[in-house]
């Protein structure tokens, strides 16, 4: 097959990876055992903590109190995409990232576009989360021991008085170390993290409501609809992780019933929590106060301190944030290494990315490269520059999945699907439209950066990946028939 | 050359004796039994009470050696030695040097679970100082199956980690298998990682890593087998933990697991690495620790 296709450039860049059942069974004993509750916990665990602790400082100045609407819109976009994602995951039995689904259904070059998006969704968000974590760590240290990392060591040089964000680098290094050692997070730890996260956010809401002033909502949408759209674009990253529910398809009991219940359950829980936090936060101070640079670091803790005049509620919240954001960083960084791993196996990246160290049985080189790149971004790029890139990458990946569902229904109606998206074709079309709408709110500079990044990835693909693809060398076909 | 079994009179020695007999028979070498007794005080005590003790312990040791010898099938040539030393390890080591033995055999500590090995203090010290291979019997090895009936080592399985250091161990294990007239198997053991939760990229992401690891190990095994001049079987075994992975490899009736140090130093010494220590602890069959001549 490879020989026939080699002649045609078009056939080459649109070649698809054959879908085969994965070689290794086992799944760590999880086969078809996951019920609605556990699946919902996956969704909440992966979602809460990626951004809600830092997003108010970025999003409220864009939309005013109407940021609440932006939360709901972004959440619905993520929820619809997650449903599409679930059908894709159940139809394409390959190890689950959007990259692999795209490779199996839409061809190599689309898979590379998706991969470029995923590097933003995972890699850049790891960096951004680490930067946000550093703010809460400083707050916690300051309140507990009266010492904090000096400004020069806890901010990027793009911020006045800053040079390097050392705590963020240390977090990334720690996660890399754990991943190299083969550490993983269990369902129990995830459940504990969910409890911690929900607990501190409810604490925040409870304390903040004591200072609730409805006058703060008087000017509800000072920036109009455009402001809401812009805020939704920024906020979107706080819903990343909802797709974690979808990837568990193979192991879910009765996926056709369980999957939508869990996705919608997690979505409702997360939106409710975010809206509660947003309303509580907005009630404490005029919306213009959110842009105060003082709230750019450990924003929610600062609000609590302003409200109560004491430090302990802010300290408790900071402690919860430090613990739970650490776990999110570990999980997201893990995702990044495994996506690059799959690309290395496919020949889309140098083989070094898929080398497994015989001693640790983990992809050590891959993990180190990820840690260095993410660490550099976390050290020297300020938070607000990173978030919009995360959102654009994720939105485009989600749109690709939604389109992929439609493509796959037409091209491969025969494939067995453990889960079919309810309300087809309205759901995937609506998912594309809402994601497109949220996308439209992002600033043009974000598009520029994104296009630049995409151009680099495409150039790499056309010059290197296209020739080294496992499908081109025929290596994969042999390996798979073994 | 001789196979040397060291034991303390009064402690159960059946497992070490059975393993020693099997090794001696397989290699066609005589078996030396060493009963280690406490060393007497260098200066005679006033009432010569020490001499009385020495006399008693000599009798005790002689009886234990006689009993041990009686348990060995007549096809193996047995010599008995009573050695005095402050510790089993130093006494055994000294005797091993003077006899020029090819392998030292010890049993497991009495509290060990059946079918497992624990490295007692003597074994631990010998593992750090012996220049010849050290064999450790599993608890219960001396049970009906292995102690009698002319049992020989059927196969030597060598744990191979896919690293260059590990290739040295395979060569040593091949030499051992040759001396014992046994088959050789190269076994690479992997652990199945639990999935990361919540699953950002699917619950089966680790399966891909494991598949890649298998491919790499298969290539490494092929290379190491090509360098040997004897035929050998290669196997990869995976489990949720080390014991499960080792057990699922499947073991012949009288098989031993050969391990080496993970970092061969300039001296040819058995030195247990952390990895080897884990393998010893989880091995379902007797282990032979190989000193590495780098």
């Amino acid at each position: 097959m490879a020989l026939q296709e080699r002649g045609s450039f078009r056939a080459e860049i649109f070649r698809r990876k054959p879908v085969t059942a994965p070689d290794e069974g086992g799944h760590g004993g999880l086969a078809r055992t996951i019920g609605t509750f556990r699946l919902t916990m996956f969704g909440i665990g992966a979602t809460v903590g990626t951004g809600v602790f830092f997003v108010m400082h970025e999003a409220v100045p864009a939309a005013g109190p109407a940021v609440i609407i932006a939360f709901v819109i972004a959440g619905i976009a993520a929820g619809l995409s997650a449903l599409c994602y679930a059908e894709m995951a159940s139809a394409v039995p390959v190890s689950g990232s959007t990259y692999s689904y795209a490779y199996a259904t839409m061809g190599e070059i689309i898979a590379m576009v998706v991969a470029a998006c995923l590097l933003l969704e995972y890699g850049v968000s790891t960096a951004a989360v680490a930067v946000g974590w550093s703010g809460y760590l400083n707050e916690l240290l300051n309140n507990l021991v009266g010492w904090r990392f000096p400004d020069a060591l806890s901010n990027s040089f793009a911020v006045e008085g800053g040079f390097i964000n050392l705590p963020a680098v240390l977090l990334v290094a720690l996660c890399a170390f754990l991943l190299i050692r083969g550490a993983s997070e269990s369902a129990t730890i995830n459940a504990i993290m969910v409890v911690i996260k929900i607990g501190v956010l409810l604490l925040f809401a409870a304390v903040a409501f004591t200072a609730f002033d409805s006058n703060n909502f008087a000017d509800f949408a000072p920036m109009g609809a455009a402001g809401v759209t812009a805020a939704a674009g920024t906020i979107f990253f706080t819903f990343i992780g909802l797709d974690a529910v979808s990837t568990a398809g193979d192991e879910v009991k009765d996926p056709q019933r369980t999957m939508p219940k869990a996705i919608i359950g997690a979505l409702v829980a997360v939106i409710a929590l975010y809206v509660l936090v947003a309303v509580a936060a907005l009630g404490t101070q005029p919306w213009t106060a959110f842009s105060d640079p003082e709230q750019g670091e450990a924003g929610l803790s600062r609000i609590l301190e302003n409200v109560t005049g004491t430090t302990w509620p802010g300290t408790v919240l900071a402690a919860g944030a430090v613990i739970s954001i650490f776990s999110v960083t570990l999980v997201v960084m893990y995702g990044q290494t495994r996506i690059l791993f799959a690309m290395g196996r496919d020949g889309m990246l140098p083989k070094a990315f898929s080398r497994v160290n015989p001693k640790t049985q983990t992809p050590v080189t891959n993990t180190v490269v990820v840690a260095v790149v993410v660490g550099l971004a976390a050290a020297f790029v300020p938070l607000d520059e990173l978030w919009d890139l995360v959102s654009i990458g994720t939105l485009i990946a989600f749109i690709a999945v939604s389109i992929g569902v439609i493509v796959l229904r037409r091209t491969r109606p025969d494939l067995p699907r453990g889960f079919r998206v309810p309300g087809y074709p309205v759901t995937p079309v609506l998912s594309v439209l809402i994601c497109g709408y949220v996308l439209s709110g992002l600033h043009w500079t974000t598009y520029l950066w994104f296009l630049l990044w995409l151009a680099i990835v495409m150039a790499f693909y056309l010059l290197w990946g296209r020739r080294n693809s496992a499908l081109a060398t025929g290596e994969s076909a042999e390996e798979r028939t073994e | 050359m001789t196979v040397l079994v060291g034991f303390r009179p009064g402690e159960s020695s059946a497992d070490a004796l059975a393993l020693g007999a099997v090794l001696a028979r397989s290699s066609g070498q005589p078996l030396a039994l060493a009963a280690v007794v406490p060393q007497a005080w260098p200066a005679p005590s006033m009432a010569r009470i020490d001499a009385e003790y020495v006399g008693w312990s000599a009798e005790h040791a002689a009886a234990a050696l006689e009993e041990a010898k009686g348990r060995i099938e007549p096809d193996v040539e047995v010599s008995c030695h009573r050695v005095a030393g402050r510790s089993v390890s130093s006494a055994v080591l000294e005797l091993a040097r003077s006899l020029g033995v090819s392998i030292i055999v010890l049993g497991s500590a009495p509290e060990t679970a059946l079918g497992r090995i624990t490295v007692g203090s003597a074994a631990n010290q010998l593992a750090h100082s012996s220049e010849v291979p050290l064999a450790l019997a599993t608890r219960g090895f001396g049970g009906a199956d292995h102690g009698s009936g002319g049992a020989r080592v059927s196969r030597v399985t060598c744990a191979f980690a896919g690293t260059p250091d590990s290739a040295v161990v395979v060569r040593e294990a091949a030499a051992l298998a040759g001396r014992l007239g046994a088959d050789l198997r190269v076994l690479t053991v992997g652990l199945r990682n639990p999935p990361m939760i919540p699953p950002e990229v699917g619950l089966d992401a680790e399966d891909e890593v494991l598949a890649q690891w298998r491919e790499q190990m298969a290539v490494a095994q092929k290379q190491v087998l090509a360098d040997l001049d004897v035929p050998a079987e290669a196997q990869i075994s995976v489990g949720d933990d080390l014991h499960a992975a080792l057990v699922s490899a499947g073991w012949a009736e009288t098989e031993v697991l050969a391990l080496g140090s993970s970092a061969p130093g300039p001296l040819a010494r058995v030195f247990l690495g952390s990895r080897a220590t884990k393998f010893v602890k989880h091995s379902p069959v007797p282990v032979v620790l190989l000193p590495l001549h780098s």
Side-chain angles (χ1 to χ4, degrees):
Chain A
M1 200 171 84
L3 273 178
Q4 290 168 353
E5 285 182 354
R6 196 158 293 171
S8 153
F9 177 73
R10 196 185 143 82
E12 197 173 60
I13 63 171
F14 283 105
R15 63 191 158 206
R16 287 175 297 184
K17 189 175 167 181
V19 174
T20 48
D23 322 339
E24 293 282 342
H27 307 304
L30 282 165
R32 294 262 177 233
T33 57
I34 300 174
T36 311
F37 180 72
R38 239 168 104 195
L39 201 53
T40 312
M41 291 297 264
F42 285 2
I44 299 175
T47 311
V48 181
T50 43
V52 68
F53 288 101
F54 345 109
V55 75
M56 303 300 282
H57 173 67
E58 313 292 336
V60 175
V67 78
I68 295 163
I69 297 170
F71 268 112
V72 177
I73 293 172
I76 290 171
L80 290 173
S81 309
L83 285 171
C84 297
Y85 207 134
E87 171 165 333
M88 192 67 121
S90 77
V92 187
V94 291
S95 174
S97 74
T98 325
Y99 157 79
S100 310
Y101 307 145
Y103 202 174
T105 57
M106 288 181 284
E108 203 163 276
I109 193 160
I110 307 289
M112 284 306 280
V113 173
V114 170
C117 296
L118 293 183
L119 288 169
L120 298 175
E121 176 179 349
Y122 289 85
V124 178
S125 81
T126 309
V129 170
V131 171
W133 180 83
S134 131
Y136 279 96
L137 180 75
N138 252 340
E139 186 72 13
L140 184 66
L141 286 175
N142 193 29
N143 290 357
L144 284 183
V145 295
W147 181 86
R148 45 170 294 153
F149 283 86
D151 280 354
L153 295 182
S154 57
N155 282 304
S156 115
F157 61 77
V159 176
E160 206 187 313
F163 173 62
I164 180 174
N165 195 329
L166 199 58
V169 175
L170 293 176
L171 177 66
V172 170
L174 176 64
C175 289
F177 173 75
L178 289 172
L179 291 177
I180 286 172
R181 292 286 305 267
S184 66
E185 203 174 295
S186 66
T188 312
I189 296 180
N190 177 52
I192 294 169
M193 291 299 161
V194 169
V195 170
I196 291 178
K197 287 184 256 205
I198 294 181
V200 294
L201 290 175
L202 288 179
L203 169 82
F204 171 82
V207 175
F209 271 124
T210 60
F212 190 81
D213 178 0
S214 59
N215 288 330
N216 289 330
F217 292 86
D219 190 7
F220 188 71
M223 304 297 184
V228 174
T229 316
T234 303
I235 280 170
F236 189 73
F237 75 82
T238 62
F239 289 94
I240 293 174
L242 204 60
D243 41 332
V245 174
S246 322
T247 61
D250 285 350
E251 285 84 8
V252 172
K253 272 189 275 189
D254 189 8
Q256 189 62 43
R257 286 161 49 84
T258 309
M259 198 62 95
K261 269 196 212 164
I263 290 174
I264 293 167
L267 182 65
V268 168
V270 172
I271 291 181
L273 200 59
Y274 286 4
V275 168
L276 187 69
V277 168
V279 171
L282 285 161
T284 61
Q285 59 187 18
W287 68 272
T288 45
F290 282 89
S291 58
D292 182 347
E294 192 236 358
Q295 293 194 9
E297 190 185 87
L300 297 186
S301 281
R302 294 284 164 83
I303 290 175
L304 286 190
E305 280 155 31
N306 292 344
V307 167
T308 58
T310 60
T311 54
W312 74 262
T315 309
V316 172
L317 187 135
V322 164
I323 295 168
S324 58
I325 299 170
F326 161 62
S327 99
V328 167
T329 310
L330 183 72
V331 168
V332 178
M333 193 161 146
Y334 167 84
Q336 177 67 87
T337 62
R338 294 314 186 258
I339 290 168
L340 294 174
F341 183 83
M343 293 174 71
R345 294 259 291 165
D346 291 340
M348 295 286 103
L349 280 176
K351 286 282 172 215
F353 282 94
S354 61
R355 282 300 293 178
V356 175
N357 182 298
K359 283 207 178 115
T360 61
Q361 263 189 266
T362 53
V364 172
T365 312
N366 175 333
T367 311
V368 170
V369 171
V370 168
V372 168
V373 175
V374 168
L376 285 174
F380 297 116
V381 186
L383 189 62
D384 43 345
E385 299 291 328
L386 297 173
W387 286 128
D388 286 359
L389 275 173
V390 177
S391 284
I392 196 170
T394 312
L395 282 162
I396 291 175
F398 280 11
I399 289 174
V401 169
S402 304
I403 294 174
V405 165
I406 301 170
V407 170
L408 209 59
R409 286 270 184 122
R410 287 166 162 270
T411 55
R412 298 291 303 274
D414 57 305
L415 274 182
R417 291 164 170 83
F419 171 75
R420 300 173 84 88
V421 95
Y424 181 88
V426 180
T427 310
V429 170
L430 208 57
S431 167
V432 173
L433 290 178
I434 298 188
C435 284
Y437 166 74
V438 176
L439 207 50
S440 74
L442 293 170
H443 198 261
W444 65 268
T445 51
T446 308
Y447 283 89
L448 205 64
W449 282 113
F450 177 75
L451 289 176
L452 184 69
W453 168 238
L454 192 61
I456 293 170
V457 174
M458 284 298 106
F460 176 78
Y461 167 66
L462 291 172
L463 294 174
W464 195 90
R466 187 165 59 93
R467 291 197 180 84
N468 289 279
S469 165
L471 294 183
T473 56
E475 188 188 320
S476 171
E478 273 168 39
E479 282 169 8
R480 274 168 208 288
T481 49
E482 265 182 2
Chain B
M1 300 293 268
T2 310
V3 174
L4 176 64
V5 177
F7 63 95
R8 226 185 247 286
E11 280 177 12
S12 158
S13 56
D15 302 329
L17 285 172
L19 182 60
V22 166
L23 289 168
R25 187 178 297 117
S26 304
S27 57
Q29 292 177 350
L31 185 63
L33 305 181
V36 183
V37 295
Q39 197 161 32
W41 279 50
S45 63
M46 296 276 270
R48 296 176 55 82
I49 197 156
D50 206 44
E52 236 173 80
Y53 173 70
V54 168
W56 172 84
S57 88
E59 273 172 43
H60 185 55
L65 282 167
E66 206 53 43
E67 198 239 318
K69 193 178 174 184
R71 280 203 232 151
I72 309 293
E73 301 264 303
D75 63 328
V76 176
E77 188 192 327
V78 182
S79 62
C80 293
H81 307 264
R82 181 168 54 86
V83 281
R86 294 183 60 174
S87 70
V88 174
S89 60
S90 63
V92 165
L93 204 58
E94 206 166 297
L95 182 64
R97 284 197 186 116
S98 68
L99 291 179
V101 305
S102 61
I103 189 165
I104 298 171
V105 186
L106 296 178
S108 280
E111 65 275 14
T112 313
L114 269 182
R116 292 284 190 103
I117 298 169
T118 43
V119 180
S121 65
N124 192 34
Q125 279 162 26
L126 277 177
H128 287 71
S129 51
S130 173
E131 286 157 30
V132 297
L134 174 66
L136 301 173
T138 43
R139 260 266 287 156
F141 184 81
D145 293 352
H146 307 290
S148 58
R152 288 165 191 271
V153 175
S154 58
R155 186 163 64 173
V156 172
T157 285
C158 176
F160 174 60
T163 57
D165 296 350
S166 199
V168 181
V169 184
V170 175
R171 279 200 291 281
E172 292 289 327
L176 176 72
R179 290 199 296 274
L180 297 173
D183 293 340
L184 178 66
R185 171 170 72 159
V186 172
L187 174 68
T188 303
V189 175
L191 299 182
R192 191 176 285 123
N193 246 345
M196 181 71 93
I197 295 193
E200 296 269 344
V201 288
L203 286 164
D204 47 9
E206 283 309 296
D207 291 354
E208 283 288 305
V209 177
L210 199 56
Q212 170 75 25
W213 175 82
R214 268 183 194 278
E215 283 167 27
Q216 282 176 219
M217 289 303 113
V219 170
Q221 285 184 336
K222 231 176 242 174
Q223 271 170 1
V224 79
L225 291 189
D227 289 346
L228 293 178
D229 34 11
V230 291
E233 197 186 324
Q235 194 179 335
I236 296 174
S237 180
V238 172
D240 289 334
D241 59 60
L242 189 53
H243 188 67
L246 280 170
V247 167
S248 74
W251 298 88
E253 185 71 14
T254 314
E255 183 158 7
V256 295
L257 174 64
L259 299 170
S261 142
S262 55
L267 295 167
R269 290 267 169 91
V270 174
F271 189 91
L272 271 183
S274 65
R275 192 178 161 83
T277 308
K278 281 183 202 148
F279 272 72
V280 171
K281 207 172 139 195
H282 293 288
S283 173
V285 296
V287 161
V288 179
L289 299 168
L290 299 168
L292 297 173
H293 308 273
S294 49

